[in-house]
Amino acid sequence: MEDKLGEVLIQVQDDLRQLKCSLEKITINESGATLDVQALDNAIRKTESSIKKHAEDYQKTVNKQLLVLPSIEDVQKKKVQVPKWKPALESIPDVLPQRQDLPTVLPGEKHKSVTMRLLCNPTHPNNRAIMHEKFGISLPVIHKRSITAAKHPRRIVGPVVTLQAIEPKGRRSLAVPEEEMGTVPDKSLLHMSVHHKVVCLHPREDSSKIGQFGSKSRNQKQLKWETEPGSTCERTSRECSPCWTTIAPPPSATSKNMDDRSVVQSTDSLIPESPQSLPAPENISRYPFTIIKGWINPMATDFCHFKQSFILSWSSVVNALEALEKLLRDYAVPLAKVSGERLVEFGHVWNNGWKTAPPGIGLLSVLENWEEVLSLVLRPGQRYKGEGGISVAAICIQSCWRRYSARTAYLRHCRRKWAAGIITISWLMHTQMRRVRKALQARRFRQLENYRSRAQHLAANWKHIQSSKRTIIHIPSLGYSQSQRLSLRGFDILQNTQISRLCDIRDDDVQVIYVCPRHLGEDILHYYTNLLKCDGAAYGADTGTTQASSCIRRFVIITPEAVDYFPIHNMCLSTLLKYSPRTLKRIRHLIQGKQAYIVGGVAHVDDLAVADELGVPILGPEPAVAQLYSTKSGGRRIFVGAEVDVSPGQGDIYSLNQLHEALAELMTQNMDVQRWLFKMDSDHGGRGTAYCDLCHLSCYNWALQEYHSYGPELWKTEWIQESVRLRYLDEIPEWLTRYAQPAKPSCYPNWACFLETFLRQGGVVEAYPPSDSVTCLTVDLLLEPGGEVTMLSCGDQLHGSCHLETIGSTVPQTSVNPETLRSICMSVGQACLQHLIVGYVSVDLATFVDHNTMEQKVWAIDLDLTYSDQLAMTQMLLMMTGGTLNWHAGCLEVPMPVREKCCEHQIAAKPPVVHRYAVLGSRLCHSNLSMLYHSVFLKMCKAHGIGFNMKRKQGTVFALYDSSERCSIGLIAVSEDLQGALVTFARNLSVIHQEISASKMQGETNFKELIKEVEEVLQMIAQNKLRAVEERPSA
């Protein structure tokens, strides 16, 4: 009967708890009205507490257990202020257990009522009456005790049959301090001491940390069970375990929804961080029971004993037990041994955490065989063998397939979106580029039209412009292709080698604006300022101050600001000036209201843009025309149209078969040629030239025998040449591969590299003059817009280490008859004018003596549509000497200064004219020159007698190009005869080399090769003089 009554009371408590949970989930909204769930919750709480109280009274009566009264403190002296708890659901803190008991006061209640004061004061006379009236408890009469005795807890001894672990909700354990136990005479007696104190709230820890059974905080709060021999009901603890009781707020809808979730979310939560995360049990459990295949036998003795022992705290255990059963069923665990004490403790922790679903590792911590169960749970595919495994497997398969399908569709969508974006961007870029291209084409067409209209105006007014004051804008730009510009070292210095254009101010009507490709130092500016004073005032000539200042005002050196923006891009000077608006603005200001035109260098399309910005004409051809006829093939077409002698060869070669066939044909027709040259169309300075000698051809001797057997006249027949031509065609590929050599190995190391570029750019095959003594000369022409051709300079070339690269020249030329030279130049100039080529043109010729006819021949070998370095140095020569070039006589006429007059009335005589010869070196390089500043270098030269004598109009003049590297200079040596000029030039180079070089530091230079070239020329001059002396008596 008593057992049934107890079961009824427990069942009523469970029904009330379930009703409470159900009501919290209900929210009724009808016509704007809401059910007052809080009122129902309060009523249920009140009923539950009343039933619980009667159940406890019943258990006390049945078990004949005496109450243990706590030590009552004076509430008036110690007031506890409990704050109202209203935290957000997302940031609800957890509570760490403290080594204190929790007071029985709930938060929000007021302790100032009279009844509560009487209840809390046991010394009051009405305390016993109120306790009996309100709670039905009869208290013994309390006598006043001393203060010392009141401080110790009260020890109550009673006949206890069994110790029931009755733990109310929110309590963890009751422990008896070891010092209070003393000697127990009777093992059936229980000694207990309880202190009620206020618990402190701490920040809530992560739920995963609470669920781990082996954590540090849990180890500190682990309950230790100790039994003495022969006793089954007494337990002691060596450390006082704190009471884990918290005052928690009422559960919200969010926390209740969390109770309905699955205990185990995934197998990932079952993997412990380390093997120590699940501790081994310290003591043997007193309440073990087993779970077989995820089900508990409610009639089993061990389970009934466990349930009967913890019947009053069963509400906090049942949820964890159900979650454990479900976990074991899900993973088909055949046998699990549960430790009842750990399960109860785990249930308290879970309940205090507001029923948040614990991790699976926490559930397994309550098992005694947790290692075997954990290994089984972590086994792959084990979940699908348990309860609902087929459904879980189906769900997993479906989710994987849906995920794969969605992922595939998403990736397909992303690819299509990406493709659509690429197509859109490409189309937008294409349309934008097409728009920009059309705009650029329209702009360049407009610039070309403006160039042509200004060129017509320049041609119509050329004579007037030449006879009046004018401004010449010199832009020494080298408009090579980008690949060529990037391959050149010191490109800005190469563009500045024509700084001698400043000497155009020797004409009093000319003002020069020189656009410099790099910033010049003060030393160079000071040098040219003194040099450009009239008649070389820098060298001691007496000149008036007014005239000197006039010369200074008639030239301006300007450097574009874009030079600082593009220091390593090797842009041509026209492009840099195009992107320099401030420099263009300054030039416009300088030429405002004046006659002006541009003299450029190698033509470039940006020349038109600069001319259009400045609004001035260009003295030069269109860029397209210049690009067409400045190539080697284009020059041959001009020479053929001018009907002048050209070297045997063929141009416009772009394939290897064409090269072999053309070379075999030329070799067959010209049996006396010993060397053949291969020149790229874009060659400049001998960089794109290669050669191959016929002496290495195995069939050449046989071909000569065939040629001599037939004779020169019959050899011109094609069928006779066929056999030799076919033999040549067979052997030419191997011959070129083995013996062809580039002229400058520094640019092209071998024939294969040269041939690749040659076939890509196109080129010509030419014969080298068949003679041991070949002299090359350069003639500079001015093709005036009015249609006239003027010779400006002419000189025999001086070569360095590469016999195809020009370093200097001797002026005037002495190798060709002046009339013959003039005839050739006039023919070439007229042919250029017919092809709309105007401006400055440079023609390269080669002269030699034909051994068959013993007559001098002159071949036209190259045509450059640009302002040459030789012409720039010639301008400096003419300014320093004050002379003129007589092309009819082929000499440099220099007026000598007139002596002082003997009397005032003496008639001024015409100054005498003498002849002078000069050696020009425009590209002299020496790496050791960088060790000396220009001022020190000039003083060193002056100390060795290297200078220019203005009175005698002879000596040495330098051209300085840059202030930073200082490795390149120009030099002019002037003397009374050619032999003296060559000796002076060679002596100057030798002295400079000796002064700046040591025995172990010779440096990189072309001085030595040039000195050897000069010595060979001197020997040739000496031989010619001896031959002339020998022939004169015979004549």
Side-chain angles (χ1 to χ4, degrees), residues 791-810:
M791 295 180 62
L792 300 178
S793 176
C794 182
D796 296 329
Q797 297 178 2
L798 295 176
H799 305 279
S801 58
C802 177
H803 293 281
L804 302 175
E805 179 184 9
T806 302
I807 297 179
S809 60
T810 60

Side-chain angles (χ1 to χ4, degrees), residues 32-258:
T34 305
L35 180 63
D36 191 358
V37 180
Q38 188 64 29
L40 293 175
D41 183 66
N42 294 335
I44 295 173
R45 284 177 180 272
K46 185 175 180 181
T47 305
E48 184 181 6
S49 61
S50 178
I51 295 176
K52 186 176 181 180
K53 172 181 170 299
H54 289 295
E56 290 176 354
D57 294 341
Y58 168 75
Q59 290 292 338
K60 294 170 190 174
T61 304
V62 172
N63 296 330
K64 298 181 181 180
Q65 182 178 356
L66 297 180
L67 290 174
V68 180
L69 296 179
S71 59
I72 302 174
E73 297 178 358
D74 192 356
V75 182
Q76 298 295 333
K77 296 181 180 180
K78 184 175 180 181
K79 295 183 178 179
V80 180
Q81 298 294 335
V82 181
K84 294 184 178 180
W85 188 326
K86 295 183 179 180
L89 294 179
E90 294 80 2
S91 61
I92 296 177
D94 200 355
V95 179
L96 286 176
Q98 302 296 324
R99 301 181 63 87
Q100 296 176 352
D101 291 337
L102 197 65
T104 58
V105 183
L106 295 177
E109 294 185 358
K110 298 182 180 180
H111 306 284
K112 296 183 180 181
S113 61
V114 178
T115 305
M116 293 304 297
R117 290 180 182 178
L118 295 178
L119 290 176
C120 295
N121 187 6
T123 60
H124 196 277
N126 297 328
N127 180 270
R128 295 177 67 254
I130 294 176
M131 289 291 291
H132 181 72
E133 180 181 356
K134 296 291 185 180
F135 302 98
I137 299 176
S138 298
L139 297 177
V141 178
I142 300 176
H143 302 283
K144 293 183 180 181
R145 298 180 181 180
S146 62
I147 300 175
T148 305
K151 293 182 179 179
H152 296 281
R154 188 177 182 186
R155 178 177 299 178
I156 301 176
V157 180
V160 179
V161 179
T162 59
L163 176 62
Q164 302 295 337
I166 304 174
E167 294 182 352
K169 186 176 182 180
R171 298 277 183 94
R172 281 194 60 186
S173 63
L174 295 174
V176 181
E178 185 178 0
E179 61 272 16
E180 295 295 336
M181 291 296 296
T183 304
V184 182
D186 190 358
K187 296 182 181 180
S188 63
L189 300 180
L190 175 64
H191 307 279
M192 305 178 66
S193 177
V194 180
H195 294 274
H196 294 271
K197 296 182 180 180
V198 180
V199 72
C200 298
L201 298 180
H202 295 270
R204 180 180 180 181
E205 293 183 351
D206 188 55
S207 60
S208 62
K209 296 181 180 179
I210 297 176
Q212 293 183 358
F213 183 75
S215 62
K216 182 179 180 181
S217 61
R218 295 295 303 276
N219 288 335
Q220 295 177 354
K221 299 182 291 290
Q222 185 177 0
L223 182 64
K224 299 181 180 180
W225 300 82
E226 297 181 0
T227 58
E228 297 181 2
S231 175
T232 60
C233 63
E234 183 177 1
R235 58 180 180 179
T236 60
S237 176
R238 300 193 180 275
E239 293 182 4
C240 182
S241 178
C243 180
W244 191 332
T245 306
T246 59
I247 301 177
S252 61
T254 305
S255 62
K256 288 185 176 297
N257 290 334
M258 294 172 65

Side-chain angles (χ1 to χ4, degrees), residues 230-515:
S231 175
T232 60
C233 63
E234 183 177 1
R235 58 180 180 179
T236 60
S237 176
R238 300 193 180 275
E239 293 182 4
C240 182
S241 178
C243 180
W244 191 332
T245 306
T246 59
I247 301 177
S252 61
T254 305
S255 62
K256 288 185 176 297
N257 290 334
M258 294 172 65
D259 295 340
D260 300 333
R261 296 180 182 177
S262 175
V263 177
V264 181
Q265 299 293 335
S266 63
T267 58
D268 294 341
S269 62
L270 297 173
I271 302 176
E273 297 180 358
S274 62
Q276 292 79 12
S277 59
L278 289 176
E282 297 182 0
N283 299 313
I284 301 175
S285 176
R286 296 184 57 194
Y287 303 99
F289 61 94
T290 58
I291 301 178
I292 301 175
K293 295 183 180 181
W295 296 99
I296 298 176
N297 184 6
M299 305 304 296
T301 305
D302 53 358
F303 181 74
C304 292
H305 177 62
F306 166 72
K307 185 174 182 181
Q308 183 66 26
S309 300
F310 298 96
I311 191 66
L312 295 182
S313 60
W314 189 253
S315 60
S316 61
V317 178
V318 65
N319 292 326
L321 189 58
E322 292 176 356
L324 180 60
E325 286 182 313
K326 186 176 188 310
L327 175 63
L328 298 177
R329 288 197 303 272
D330 290 343
Y331 288 91
V333 178
L335 177 65
K337 298 179 181 180
V338 184
S339 174
E341 293 87 343
R342 278 188 254 166
L343 180 61
V344 173
E345 183 179 1
F346 184 82
H348 289 323
V349 174
W350 187 14
N351 195 43
N352 292 335
W354 301 316
K355 299 183 181 180
T356 303
I361 194 65
L363 285 173
L364 296 182
S365 64
V366 304
L367 302 179
E368 293 182 351
N369 61 336
W370 62 270
E371 293 180 350
E372 293 81 358
V373 174
L374 180 62
S375 62
L376 183 64
V377 168
L378 296 179
R379 184 182 300 173
Q382 185 66 26
R383 176 64 184 90
Y384 309 125
K385 298 179 181 179
E387 185 179 34
I390 298 177
S391 300
V392 173
I395 292 173
C396 181
I397 295 173
Q398 291 177 1
S399 62
C400 291
W401 172 250
R402 290 170 183 169
R403 180 177 58 187
Y404 170 76
S405 302
R407 181 66 177 172
T408 304
Y410 174 74
L411 292 177
R412 188 186 303 111
H413 171 72
C414 289
R415 285 195 297 270
R416 292 176 178 176
K417 185 178 180 180
W418 171 81
I422 292 297
I423 294 173
T424 304
I425 294 175
S426 301
W427 173 251
L428 293 176
M429 292 296 295
H430 172 72
T431 55
Q432 182 68 15
M433 290 294 292
R434 184 173 60 181
R435 244 188 335 264
V436 172
R437 193 178 294 110
K438 287 183 178 179
L440 289 176
Q441 290 177 353
R443 183 186 229 176
R444 290 178 179 175
F445 181 77
R446 184 177 65 254
Q447 292 172 357
L448 182 60
E449 292 296 326
N450 294 338
Y451 160 81
R452 291 173 179 174
S453 62
R454 295 190 186 102
Q456 292 177 0
H457 180 269
L458 182 65
N461 299 277
W462 176 251
K463 292 184 178 180
H464 172 70
I465 293 173
Q466 288 295 101
S467 60
S468 60
K469 290 185 178 296
R470 60 195 181 275
T471 301
I472 303 177
I473 306 173
H474 281 285
I475 307 176
S477 174
L478 299 180
Y480 300 140
S481 63
Q482 184 179 4
S483 59
Q484 291 177 330
R485 286 187 277 108
L486 293 176
S487 64
L488 292 175
R489 186 177 64 178
F491 183 70
D492 51 350
I493 299 177
L494 291 178
Q495 293 187 114
N496 202 35
T497 53
Q498 297 183 7
I499 193 174
S500 302
R501 294 190 188 191
L502 292 170
C503 297
D504 280 349
I505 63 171
R506 63 192 178 90
D507 188 347
D508 295 337
D509 295 334
V510 174
Q511 179 182 0
V512 174
I513 298 176
Y514 179 76
V515 181

